């Protein structure tokens, strides 16, 4: 059976809904509460590859940490955005589910169906 990992924020309704969809499909994923255990830079680079997205495409630009650190000036610098995500995990889009060689962002939660 494939392993599933969800980068989860239990306070986020979309994250909870995505987790519920996985469980309804009989999948109990490894849950990483990324605010408590922020992903390291290498892990974020891997997530970027699995999503098929550049870091700027899964960063939350409306978050205070994003704005306060003037990260909009660095959006084209993947390494800087990855570094910022590891330092300020609130700016990581949520939830992210990865399995095998693919990943999806659970916005909307139904996106997780692509992995099941």
């Amino acid at each position: 059976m494939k392993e599933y990992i969800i980068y989860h924020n239990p306070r986020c309704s979309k994250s909870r809904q995505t987790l519920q969809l996985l469980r309804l499909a009989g999948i109990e994923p490894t849950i990483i509460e990324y605010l408590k255990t922020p992903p390291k830079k290498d892990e974020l680079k891997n997530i970027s590859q699995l999503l098929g997205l550049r870091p700027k495409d899964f960063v939350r630009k409306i978050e205070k940490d994003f704005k306060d650190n003037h990260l909009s000036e660095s959006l084209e610098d993947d390494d800087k955005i990855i570094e910022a995500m590891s330092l300020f995990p609130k700016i990581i889009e949520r939830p992210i589910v990865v399995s095998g060689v693919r990943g999806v962002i659970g916005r909307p939660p139904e996106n997780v169906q692509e992995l099941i």
Side-chain angles (χ1 to χ4, degrees), residues 2-110:
K2 286 198 308 188
E3 179 186 14
Y4 289 79
I5 299 170
I6 183 170
Y7 293 86
H8 180 60
N9 178 351
R11 296 185 63 202
C12 170
S13 65
K14 299 295 183 200
S15 195
R16 290 191 310 270
Q17 290 169 12
T18 300
L19 179 57
Q20 181 180 11
L21 285 173
L22 287 168
R23 288 178 168 160
L24 287 173
I27 297 165
E28 185 56 44
T30 299
I31 299 171
I32 298 176
E33 288 190 37
Y34 68 93
L35 295 177
K36 292 181 181 177
T37 309
K40 298 193 180 335
K41 290 187 276 187
D42 287 344
E43 189 175 359
L44 287 162
K45 287 179 184 177
N46 185 53
I47 290 168
S48 179
Q49 290 177 340
L50 295 174
L51 291 172
L53 298 173
R54 289 187 58 199
K56 71 176 185 174
D57 298 323
F58 64 101
V59 67
R60 295 175 56 87
K61 298 167 187 78
I62 60 169
E63 288 293 333
K64 184 176 184 334
D65 285 339
F66 183 88
K67 293 175 183 177
D68 288 354
N69 290 284
H70 310 286
L71 294 173
S72 61
E73 300 165 8
S74 301
L75 278 175
E76 295 304 320
D77 186 330
D78 292 352
D79 289 333
K80 283 188 181 180
I81 296 300
I82 291 280
E83 170 122 7
M85 288 173 158
S86 69
L87 292 172
F88 311 106
K90 279 187 178 182
I91 69 173
I92 300 171
E93 186 58 86
R94 60 184 182 261
I96 295 173
V97 179
V98 297
S99 181
V101 296
R102 295 199 48 229
V104 295
I105 297 172
R107 286 186 174 268
E110 293 76 22

